[in-house]
Each structure stands twice: as C-alpha cells, then as structure tokens.
Amino acid sequence: SFRSALGEAKYQAQRQARADRRYHRPEAARFAGTSLQTVSEQLQAELIERGLENVRITIVRLQPGMTVVVEYENRRYNRDELDALGFVFGLAALRTPPLITHMRVIVKEVNVTVLDVSTSVEAFLAFVNEQMLADTFATPNDVLSRLSVHDPEIGKFLIIFF
C-alpha cells in the first residue's frame, strides 16, 4: 500500500542520513587527571540539566570491569521511557572514560524501580551505530532486564524478568 511504501522510504531516508554519523567513546586522554567522582558529578549535572529528576550516579567495580549505574525518574520526555532510556545510555556511554566497560540504568517512578537494564558499553555503541542488529543486542547475554509493573487491581508490583 501507499502508506507502507511511504513509511519504508522515510525509514531509508533516515537511515541514510545517519549513515555518516557514528558514536565513539572519547579517548582516555580526555579524562586524564579527572577523578571518577568528577565524571559522575558531571554526568549527573548534565542529566538533570536535560530534565531528568532524582538522578543518582554510581561507578562501581564489578566483574569483569567498571560499571556506571544511573538511577533516574523521567517526567520530561512525555513520559516515554524508551526515549529517556536511550538518551541516558547514550550519555553514559559518551561521557565516561574507557575504563567503564558496562552500564546499568535503573528507571524509577516515585522512587520505586520500574525498569532495570544493563549492557556493555561496546554492545550499546555497536547497536546505535547499526553494527549490531536489535535482536542480537537484546539477547539475555547483553541486556538483562527486570520490569516491575504496578497492578492497581491487586495493589502490588509484579516483577517480570526477560
């Protein structure tokens, strides 16, 4: 149909426009003399400046490397958690030094965790640079997720692992 043909053309045009844009981590030299505390404070300030609330950044040593953990509440991006999640992952990947190998994002609503997603920085950048398919990126090996859904009828949270 005309609608699907128009949609495909729009998708291809957007993909072509992004073809030259690739996201890369900054070199380690950019962070020379900068403590991890300063890196986390700068990331927190940028996320708050961009409209997220109750932002908390922690950098921890987990196996096999360092992980940046970002907790936030989203009241800005039309409550569209996928937009906010991609935005947070993107900034965490591009604003942290190369010694940070993993990212974990915890989305909260009224200080209750509703989504907890983890991935490696390398896998995330490969995905956004279209070097990895979405199906490959979303395998349990790369993204471990827990979704808490409030059920108003029973007044409890259901936790779904996928």
Side-chain angles (χ1 to χ4, degrees):
S1 74
F2 178 73
R3 176 183 249 169
S4 63
L6 182 61
E8 179 63 21
K10 181 179 176 183
Y11 170 75
Q12 291 301 330
Q14 290 172 342
R15 188 171 191 186
Q16 215 164 10
R18 290 189 318 259
D20 294 333
R21 179 171 221 168
R22 294 290 179 239
Y23 297 93
H24 304 281
R25 297 198 76 182
E27 297 294 325
R30 176 175 173 236
F31 297 96
T34 305
S35 70
L36 292 178
Q37 178 68 34
T38 301
V39 169
S40 64
E41 289 170 358
Q42 290 170 344
L43 178 58
Q44 180 184 33
E46 186 166 0
L47 290 169
I48 291 169
E49 182 180 304
R50 305 258 187 136
L52 297 176
E53 297 178 356
N54 300 326
V55 177
R56 182 175 158 202
I57 309 292
T58 311
I59 297 177
V60 295
R61 181 174 302 282
L62 299 173
Q63 296 299 347
M66 300 288 284
T67 300
V68 61
V69 180
V70 180
E71 298 177 48
Y72 71 91
E73 291 187 30
N74 171 33
R75 292 187 181 92
R76 176 172 185 167
Y77 294 92
N78 291 330
R79 299 193 185 264
D80 187 336
E81 295 306 337
L82 288 180
D83 284 349
L85 184 65
F87 173 72
V88 170
F89 268 128
L91 281 182
L94 300 176
R95 303 292 194 267
T96 57
L99 68 97
I100 305 293
T101 57
H102 290 78
M103 302 179 293
R104 178 177 175 202
V105 175
I106 301 170
V107 181
K108 293 187 171 189
E109 189 173 311
V110 193
N111 208 28
V112 174
T113 300
V114 294
L115 185 64
D116 185 330
V117 184
S118 301
T119 187
S120 73
V121 176
E122 182 180 307
F124 176 76
L125 290 174
F127 171 69
V128 297
N129 287 326
E130 297 182 353
Q131 297 165 339
M132 180 185 292
L133 296 174
D135 291 345
T136 305
F137 176 68
T139 62
N141 295 332
D142 288 326
V143 179
L144 305 174
S145 303
R146 183 182 78 224
L147 177 62
S148 302
V149 180
H150 184 261
D151 186 338
E153 290 184 18
I154 61 173
K156 294 184 180 178
F157 284 87
L158 306 172
I159 298 176
I160 303 164
F161 292 90
F162 55 95

